Amino acid sequence: MDPSTETDRPRAGDPQRRPCLAAGLALAGGAAAGRSLAAWTWSARPDPFAVALLAGAALLVLAFALRRRRGGARFAWWPAALVALGATVAFGRAVEAPAPLPFDAPLRGTWREEKVGGARIELEDGRSVDARFTTKGPPPGDGEAVLLLPPFDARRAVTGPVASDDGRPELRVRLAPDQVVRLGGGTTVASAPLRERLAVRANELPASPGRARSGLAAALLVGDRSALDPDVSDLFTRTGTRHLLALSGLHVGLFALLVALPLRRLARRFASRLGAGAVGARRAGALAAVAALVLFTILGGSASPIVRAAIVATAGLVARDWPTDEPRRVDAISLLAFALALELAVDAEAWRDPGLAMSFGACFALALAARPCAEALSRALFGRSLGERTDPFVWHRSRPEIAFAVLVLRARRTLCWALGASVAASLGTLPVLWSTFGEASPVGLLATPVVTPLLLLWLPAIWLGVLAPTTWLAHPQAFVESAVLAALEHFDRWPGTPALLPERPAWCVALLCAATLACCVSPRSRALVRATLVGWCALLLPWRAAPSELELWALDVGHGTCVVAEGPGLPLLVFDAGTRSRHGLEREGLAPILRRIDATDGVLVVSHDDHDHSAGLPWLLSRASWRAVVGDVPHDVEFEASTLSLDAVPASTRLPSPIGALATDVEVELLRGARTAGNEGSTSVLLTSRGERALLFGDATEEGLVELVRAGLAPRRVDLVLLPHHGGHGSGLDLWLAGASIGTAWISAERRPDVVRELERRGIPWRGTFDEGSLGPWPP
C-alpha cells in the first residue's frame, strides 16, 4: 500500500483531519472547566462530569501538542486557546449572581418553545420564564422578540427536600394576550403569517372516527403545538417517542428523503439537458436541495434543532457536489463536528442545554455505532451477518421462491437497521434523559422504529390535506394519525412506560453508555463487555439502604398537600399529591425525592378528590408502581393497582391496612369519620413505628373529625401531626386539640393560617411550609 495514500485517510483525534471536532471538544471542555473552577471558588460541590470533560480536554491538547508530524514536533496552540476561551466565558457566567426578577417592571426576551397556551421566554440575562395565557390569543412566532407588561400573576414552583436540577424555569407567569408586545426581529417574523395560516388549516383537518382533534398535524407540519392535546403529548412522552413531536433532525431527514433528494435529481437532469455539464448539474442539484431545506426550516419556525440539522445537511450537500472533480465522500463525524463547533462558537456553554446535548448525542452515536449495533442485532436475532447475501441455491428455485427469499432478507436487514439505529440513538441520549428528566421508556426502542415509517405516509398526507382541505385528500391523514395513536396506545400498555430512573451521577451514566457503544463497535473485546455488564449491574442496583426508622417529608406545594413517607419494610407511601397555587408538583417536587429514595411497590393514599389533593395523581400513577391505591381517586384517572374503595365503608371506621401480607415494621391505619363526599368524608392516615406515631389528617375539620374523635379513632398522643385543611380551624379540630399531646404540628399551606395562634396559645411546636418551605425529614 502506498504510504502517502495511508496518511491521507482521516484519523479521529487529528486536529488537521477533523479540526471542527477538535474545536468543539476544546470549547466544551473549556466551558466545563470554567464552571467547575467557579464551583470550587465558591466552595460548592464540583460537577464530576465537568471534571471529566476538563481532563479529556487537557489530554486532547497534550496529544495535539506532542503529535509528531513531518519535519518534527509541532505544537497545536489553537486547541489550548479555545479551551482557555471556553473556560473564561463559563467562569464569568458562573460567578455572576443574577438579580431577582423584577416582576413590577416590563421584561424583555425571546419567545421560545411554543406550547399549549403559552411558551418559554428567554430573558436578556439568560434566564427563562414559563408563560401561560389565561385566555386564548395569537402567540408570537418562535424566536420573536417580545416585551411582557406587568402586573404579572407569578406562580412559584413546588419545592421538595431534594432540589430539582432539570433547568426548568423557577417561575410560571400567567399572562393575558394583551400583556405580550411583539417587538419583531428573530428569524420567523417574515414567515409567521404563512405559518399561522398553515397551522390553522392543519388544525381544521378532519379527525378519524371516534377521536377528537389532537393538534398533531400542525405540530408535525410547522412545529405549532398551541393546539396539541396534553393527553396526546403525554402519550408520546410515556412511550419514549416525544422526539417525534418536536421538529428536529429526524423530520429534516424525512423531508430530505421525500422532497429535497428527489428535487435534487430533477434539478440535475434539467441542468444536464440545458448543457451545464457534469459539475454544473451537480451544483444545480445541490442548490435546489439546499433551497428546499431552507424553505422547510423557515416554515418550521427556524427552531434550533431544525436549523442545526439543516446546516449539517447543507454542508453535506455542498461538500459532496461542489468540488470540480468527482463527487467527494462526506464524513458524517466532520459534518456533526462542524455544526457543534458553530453552536459552541456562539455560546461556549451551549452543551449544557439538554436539547442540544440530546441532539448531538444521538447524531454522534448514530454515526459511530448504528451499523455495529445493527450487525450485533442481526447476529443475535438471525445468526447471520448484516451483509450476508441470499443462499446461492435459492437462485435455482422458482421465481416466487426467489422473490420471497429476497423479501425476507431485505425485511431482516431493515429490521436490524431500524432497531440498531434506535439502540444507538437511545444510548446517545440516555445520559441527558437520566440526569435531566429522570425518566425513560424502554419501549421507545421498539415504538420509534414502528412509528417512524408511518411518518413517511403521514407527512405527505398532511400536506395534501392542507393544500386541498375541501376535497377527499384531507381525509387520508386522519387514518394514518389514528394508526399512529393506536400503535402508541398499544405500547403504552407495556410495563415501564415510562419508568423513573434512580438518582445516579451523570458521568457514570455517560461513561457506561459510551462503553456500551464501544462494545457494539468492538464486540470481540470480552474484557470491555464484561466490565460494561458489571457497570450496568452496579448502576441499576439500589445504592441506598432501607431506612431504619419511619421518615416523612412534606413538600412545599402552596395551597395543597403532598407527604412522602418511607420506613423499614415500607418502601414508599405518598399521602395526597395536589396543589392549587404552584406548578411543577410532579417534576420539581415529587420526581427528585422518588428518584433519591429509589422506592418501588408503594402505597398511594388519596384523602379526597379535590384538586389541591389529587392534581399529581395521573403522573404518579403512570410513573411509579403501586401495591395499593386507597381513597377517592378521580374517575377520569386510569391506573392498574389494587384499589380499596371507600364507597361501601361505613362512617367512623378504622380501615384495614393496605400493606397486605408485606412484612413491615410500620403499621398503617386509615381513618374515616364520615361517609360523605368532599372535605368531611376525607381519609386520614396513622403511621406507627417503634413507638412513634405520625397522624396525617385530610380536610375534615367539622363533623367528619368530630366523629373520628368521639369514636376514639384519632389518637391524641402523637409525635407528629399534619393539621387538616391546610391549617383550617373548626369544631372538630378544637375537640381533638383539647387535651392532645403533640410533639410537632405540620401545616401545609400557602400563607400563615389562623390556627397558628391557637397552637401557640396551647404551647404546641409547629412548622409550616409557608414559612420554611418543604418540611422534613421527620424525625430530624
Side-chain angles (χ1 to χ4, degrees):
M1 181 179 292
D2 187 0
S4 61
T5 305
E6 178 68 20
T7 56
D8 289 339
R9 292 184 178 180
R11 293 187 296 270
D14 190 338
Q16 306 302 325
R17 299 297 181 179
R18 286 175 175 165
C20 293
L21 180 60
L25 292 176
L27 285 170
R35 181 164 290 274
S36 182
L37 181 61
W40 280 326
T41 302
W42 293 99
S43 299
R45 185 179 63 179
D47 187 358
F49 188 57
V51 177
L53 282 178
L54 171 61
L59 292 176
L60 182 69
V61 173
L62 182 62
F64 291 164
L66 300 180
R67 191 173 188 86
R68 293 188 176 275
R69 302 188 56 83
R70 299 174 185 175
R74 179 181 176 184
F75 180 73
W77 58 268
W78 57 269
L82 292 178
V83 169
L85 177 63
T88 302
V89 173
F91 184 85
R93 291 185 179 180
V95 299
E96 291 179 358
L101 290 175
F103 283 98
D104 56 349
L107 298 176
R108 182 167 180 167
T110 305
W111 193 271
R112 294 291 186 189
E113 297 185 16
E114 185 178 330
K115 58 184 74 173
V116 181
R120 177 177 295 188
I121 300 169
E122 296 179 353
L123 302 180
E124 294 179 334
D125 59 0
R127 290 179 291 178
S128 58
V129 172
D130 192 357
R132 296 295 178 97
F133 281 152
T134 55
T135 57
K136 292 184 178 180
D142 184 72
E144 186 172 355
V146 294
L147 186 69
L148 307 183
L149 302 179
F152 301 116
D153 180 10
R155 298 177 60 194
R156 292 175 52 194
V158 169
T159 58
V162 181
S164 175
D165 189 20
D166 56 4
R168 289 184 174 88
E170 295 182 359
L171 291 175
R172 175 178 296 182
V173 179
R174 296 169 59 87
L175 301 169
D178 57 2
Q179 289 183 267
V180 180
V181 180
R182 304 171 66 166
L183 302 178
T187 57
T188 63
V189 177
S191 62
L194 178 59
R195 290 186 67 242
E196 291 177 0
R197 289 197 296 269
L198 290 175
V200 170
R201 283 195 175 188
N203 288 326
E204 293 177 350
L205 290 176
S208 60
R211 293 186 181 273
R213 287 193 176 96
S214 61
L216 285 171
L220 294 173
L221 188 70
V222 293
D224 182 3
R225 292 182 287 172
S226 59
L228 188 61
D229 188 345
D231 293 334
V232 173
S233 176
D234 193 53
L235 175 64
F236 279 81
T237 301
R238 294 195 305 270
T239 54
T241 55
R242 177 77 183 198
H243 57 281
L244 300 179
L245 286 180
L247 293 182
S248 60
L250 174 63
H251 300 81
V252 173
L254 293 176
F255 178 80
L257 182 63
L258 296 172
V259 178
L261 294 182
L263 183 62
R264 171 174 169 264
R265 296 190 185 96
L266 291 176
R268 290 181 62 175
R269 292 180 181 179
F270 184 74
S272 297
R273 291 185 178 182
L274 294 179
V279 176
R282 289 204 316 267
R283 292 181 175 179
L287 290 176
V290 169
L293 290 173
V294 171
L295 178 61
F296 178 76
T297 302
I298 294 175
L299 292 178
S302 299
S304 298
I306 309 178
V307 174
R308 193 179 305 129
I311 290 175
V312 172
T314 300
L317 289 169
V318 172
R320 175 180 174 83
D321 293 335
W322 209 258
T324 55
D325 51 359
E326 295 296 325
R328 184 168 51 188
R329 184 178 179 180
V330 178
D331 181 24
I333 300 296
S334 297
L335 289 179
L336 294 173
F338 173 69
L340 177 61
L342 287 180
E343 293 273 0
L344 297 177
V346 176
D347 183 4
E349 283 200 300
W351 65 274
R352 297 179 63 87
D353 177 63
L356 182 138
M358 292 176 63
S359 177
F360 279 105
C363 291
F364 277 110
L366 286 171
L368 291 171
R371 184 178 182 86
C373 288
E375 179 71 26
L377 287 171
S378 180
R379 293 184 181 276
L381 296 177
F382 307 111
R384 57 191 303 170
S385 173
L386 189 65
E388 189 173 341
R389 298 181 178 273
T390 307
D391 191 344
F393 291 101
V394 173
W395 301 103
H396 297 284
R397 300 178 182 177
S398 62
R399 289 186 176 181
E401 290 177 329
I402 294 174
F404 180 75
V406 173
L407 181 62
V408 169
L409 178 63
R410 292 185 176 179
R412 288 176 177 176
R413 288 180 179 176
T414 303
L415 175 63
C416 292
W417 270 109
L419 292 178
S422 181
V423 169
S426 298
L427 287 173
T429 58
L430 184 59
V432 180
L433 286 175
W434 197 309
S435 60
T436 302
F437 301 103
E439 63 182 35
S441 181
V443 76
L445 293 173
L446 297 177
T448 298
V450 170
V451 174
T452 300
L454 294 176
L455 293 181
L456 290 172
L457 301 175
W458 197 0
L459 292 175
I462 294 175
W463 276 106
L464 290 177
V466 169
L467 297 176
T470 58
T471 66
W472 63 271
L473 294 176
H475 295 275
Q477 62 84 28
F479 295 100
V480 183
E481 176 182 338
S482 179
V484 171
L485 293 179
L488 293 181
E489 289 169 354
H490 171 74
F491 284 115
D492 190 35
R493 290 190 286 270
W494 291 26
T497 54
L500 286 176
L501 300 172
E503 185 182 57
R504 299 292 185 266
W507 64 270
C508 286
V509 182
L511 182 61
L512 283 176
C513 289
T516 305
L517 292 174
C519 290
C520 295
V521 176
S522 303
R524 295 182 180 179
S525 179
R526 295 185 178 181
L528 178 61
V529 173
R530 292 173 181 172
T532 303
L533 290 176
V534 171
W536 279 114
C537 292
L539 192 74
L540 296 176
L541 288 175
W543 286 18
R544 183 175 179 270
S548 58
E549 58 182 357
L550 179 65
E551 295 183 1
L552 283 87
W553 299 268
L555 276 62
D556 181 17
V557 297
H559 184 81
T561 301
C562 184
V563 178
V564 179
E566 66 168 345
L570 178 65
L572 172 66
L573 184 142
V574 177
F575 176 70
D576 284 344
T579 178
R580 289 186 184 274
S581 58
R582 301 289 178 88
H583 73 91
L585 168 62
E586 302 88 359
R587 303 195 181 279
E588 276 78 6
L590 278 170
I593 187 173
L594 295 185
R595 294 181 61 205
R596 172 70 61 85
I597 65 178
D598 195 9
T600 58
D601 213 18
V603 177
L604 176 61
V605 181
V606 187
S607 63
H608 59 301
D609 62 356
D610 283 359
H611 191 74
D612 54 343
H613 293 256
S614 62
L617 293 187
W619 184 90
L620 270 176
L621 292 169
S622 63
R623 263 69 177 184
S625 60
W626 302 98
R627 175 179 293 270
V629 179
V630 186
D632 297 325
V633 180
H635 298 291
D636 57 344
V637 178
E638 299 179 357
F639 58 95
E640 296 181 2
S642 59
T643 309
L644 180 59
S645 176
L646 302 182
D647 295 337
V649 175
S652 303
T653 303
R654 176 180 283 114
L655 304 179
S657 171
I659 305 301
L662 181 65
T664 176
D665 293 335
V666 180
E667 182 181 356
V668 181
E669 296 180 86
L670 307 175
L671 313 176
R672 193 184 191 197
R675 194 185 166 187
T676 60
N679 292 346
E680 297 306 316
S682 60
T683 305
S684 302
V685 178
L686 176 63
L687 303 173
T688 305
S689 176
R690 300 180 181 180
E692 293 185 332
R693 283 181 172 182
L695 178 58
L696 310 177
F697 279 119
D699 273 2
T701 58
E702 299 290 346
E703 65 268 19
L705 186 53
V706 169
E707 292 295 331
L708 275 179
V709 176
R710 289 177 177 175
L713 299 179
R716 299 190 182 185
R717 295 181 179 275
V718 294
D719 299 281
L720 174 70
V721 60
L722 176 71
L723 293 183
H725 204 198
H726 321 295
H729 215 157
S731 58
L733 183 61
D734 286 336
L735 180 62
W736 182 78
L737 287 175
S741 175
I742 302 173
T744 304
W746 281 4
I747 305 173
S748 179
E750 177 71 16
R751 54 186 58 87
R752 185 185 181 97
D754 294 336
V755 74
V756 171
R757 299 178 182 176
E758 181 67 14
L759 296 176
E760 293 177 346
R761 186 183 70 83
R762 295 176 179 267
I764 299 175
W766 64 271
R767 298 176 63 190
T769 59
F770 57 88
D771 185 46
E772 302 181 35
S774 62
L775 305 177
W778 179 88

